[in-house]
Amino acid sequence: MSPPLAPFRLALSALSSGQTEAALPLLRQCLDRGEDVALAGLNLGIALTNLGHLAEAVPHLQAACLALPDLAEPRFRLGQIAGQQERIAAARALFHEALILEPEHVTSMAGLAMLDEAQGNADGALQWVAQALLLAPREAGLLVMQARFSDDVALCRALLSQGLGGVDAVKLAAQRLDLAELREAASAAPLEWRWQAALGLAQLTAEEVDAGIAALRLACIFSDDAPELQGLLGLQLAEQRRDAEAEPLLAAGIAASHGDAELRASYALTLLRLDRLAEARLAFEAAIADFGPHPSLICNLALTLSNQGLQEEALRISDEGGDTVASLGCRMGIQPYHPIEGSAAALHRTASRLGAALPHPPLLPHPPGFDPERRLRVGFFGARLGRHPVGWLTLSAIEALPEAEIEVACYSLKTMDDALGRRFQARADLWRDLSPRLDDAALAAAIRADAPDIVVDLGGHGEGGRVTALAYRAAPVQIKWVGAQSATTGVPSMDWMLTDAWQTPPGSEAHYTEALLRMPDGYACYTPPPWAPDVAPLPALSRGHVTFGCFNNLLKITPAVLAAWGQILTTLPRARLILRTHALRDAPTRAALITRAAAAAIPLERLELHGPSSHEELLAAYAEIDIALDPFPYAGGLTACEALWMGAPLVAMAGSSFAGRHAVSHLNNIGLGHWVAEDVEGYVARAVAAAHSLPALAELRAGMRARMKASPLMDAPRFAANLTAALRHAWRLRCAQTQPLKPSSVQTERIKMLDKQKLIACAASRGAGKRL
């Protein structure tokens, strides 16, 4: 009987047969035993690198450098990792060290070419590739690099024709070859997956989304579901927000290429969008450990933690991104949810840091000129012009804008093909689809090409929002309105914040980098969905106890909110609380919330949790809610309107930030300002008092829709008239700064606005509506 093979030989056998995972314990066993330590450590480092465990691989590769000082490979591998972590200088030094030890180390030459390309040195990159090709003239990867650096279309075409280069060659062909040529080639070779895949990518770039995805699916079939191609398809599906389809394909791609940073980042983001929050957190943390603290990874990890209701941890993580525009924009997206740092003053400090990092361009010449009284071209800019809070809170007012005075332009970063999206398109006199791939300067230039007089941002620092693009001044007047409208934007060229006296009461001005353009009523105009069911009778009348409810995102459920709810339920021993939000689909997140609720003295037997539901189901669920509880410091905006529309009055607490006062505005505009508390004690007392007055609750519920329909909150013509006046005011002031009007005209306009603001302030101080 032959003696058993040593662990190192078994490990090499596993590695040579592609069983990388199986080799790991064998290589670790060698290190533990002190057998073949140097080579075992090197191979362990390489195996971990190939599996994408870059952080774990580094110490083993560093040890191999010391143990094998004449070997180029460990230095090359460390350089490869440094390059993936964007430590360019370190990567370059390591590749050069490898070449000193082994002057013909082709992969180090390729690594240096990639670094030169990343730094914009195409000539240097091409020189390294040419040198490497002398040593490996048939290496497909080098040929793809040569075609890319030299812009050699013929070589690009030849690579696909000869079946060389894999997905990298496909990507290059999609970029370099004409779409018509790709169609012809794919038709001529219908079973060749490379041509199909290149055609699909090119079609996606040309916004032929369905055809592009179909071509990529065909390519997967023809390639026998090659993992690298599955990963490519997964990336495209994820970009289209088809996350359920993308997730298994991305997982397959990662299984074959663990070190692909793009795949892993996209996979983690897909998990986040699928509400698999615990998995997403682990995926982002692993990617950061392996690829370094890239701002997008840091931002998305912070967002994941925030979605789990971990506001403190989320804000701490976001700070690790530093004072870059991307990191501060991310912080502006999550900071409003923090119980302390969500104050207006704290948000202004962060916005000011962001503003300091953004450009401050001068006002450019405006081709149509500065006639204060002509018809205005007003551009509405965002990625959510459709079935989204932006649509429900702006569309009816935009539709009612007078065509004689306002030309409506829409600049959409993502077409939303739904009923509201089609209404936006129908109202628009000018519609532009803009690619979210454009950088900020290019986005602003694309809008500026149409010479709008005013641009209204509807995205803010929220997901899909590109408010920082407006730092490059897309129009003479720029205004922030609904769409992640949680605080000041900090964008230097954002002139105004469209608001009202409840959102930003007198004295708020210091917390905004914009001037406050106050509307005489509310800042938003609510459109209810046509599928909303009728208001159900007050459930407490048949149940004998009150049911509270909150259907807001878990991001808004802070420890202070849970503590207040605990006080309410303790005071009302038969009352129940229902929470409904998409994050509760994730079992670990749900379990963590239960633990937090118990710590806040919420009786768990009276707490009911529900995960995601369709909009129709969510609205119908208000039939079980007697009283809605608004969260703080980030109040409900659309959710407040929906609760009221479904008959559930809302207990709210006034915060200091814009985000903290959404419900304050909505309640005052329907005459229920007395449902707003100024502190936690008042919030609890208001909820308890309402629960003790069931006949009054039933009467209020029965008349809630009529109240809303008759209020400024839903009066689109009235809102549109006020919005038109506000836009005209902002435009006249810009004209006065640029091309002086007659002094009397300017003075009269300013006096009118001052008088209007005084009236608004008086109305706010008196409170609106009759108590019921």
Side-chain angles (χ1 to χ4, degrees), residues 393 524 526 636-646 650 666 708 713:
L393 295 174
Y526 176 55
L638 177 62
T639 49
C641 294
E642 289 179 344
L644 295 167
W645 183 248
M646 296 310 302
L650 188 73
H666 300 333
M708 289 186 72
L713 181 59

Side-chain angles (χ1 to χ4, degrees), residues 742-755:
K742 294 178 181 179
S744 59
S745 300
V746 178
Q747 185 177 9
T748 301
E749 183 63 34
R750 287 177 175 163
I751 290 172
K752 285 180 182 177
M753 195 64 180
L754 287 172
D755 288 344

Side-chain angles (χ1 to χ4, degrees), residues 261-273 276-305 307-308 317 320:
E262 184 182 15
L263 281 176
R264 286 178 56 185
S266 182
Y267 182 66
L269 184 58
T270 297
L271 292 174
L272 169 59
R273 289 172 174 165
R276 291 162 57 178
L277 301 179
E279 294 175 77
R281 176 179 182 174
L282 292 175
F284 280 124
E285 288 175 340
I288 290 168
D290 289 329
F291 303 114
H294 191 278
S296 66
L297 294 174
I298 291 289
C299 179
N300 283 318
L301 174 58
L303 184 60
T304 302
L305 294 167
N307 271 279
Q308 291 180 296
I317 290 294
E320 295 180 7

Side-chain angles (χ1 to χ4, degrees), residues 633-710:
Y634 202 127
L638 177 62
T639 49
C641 294
E642 289 179 344
L644 295 167
W645 183 248
M646 296 310 302
L650 188 73
V651 177
M653 189 174 81
S656 64
S657 72
F658 202 101
R661 303 183 66 85
H662 292 324
V664 178
S665 175
H666 300 333
L667 286 166
N668 274 286
N669 270 286
I670 66 169
L672 295 179
H674 57 289
W675 281 77
V676 178
E678 294 299 321
D679 52 33
V680 173
E681 291 74 18
Y683 180 93
V684 172
R686 174 71 258 189
V688 171
H692 285 308
S693 305
L694 295 189
L697 268 183
E699 182 182 357
L700 180 59
R701 186 183 187 93
M704 189 72 80
R705 283 203 178 170
R707 171 190 290 270
M708 289 186 72
K709 289 177 181 179

Side-chain angles (χ1 to χ4, degrees), residues 63 68 238 575 717:
L68 302 166

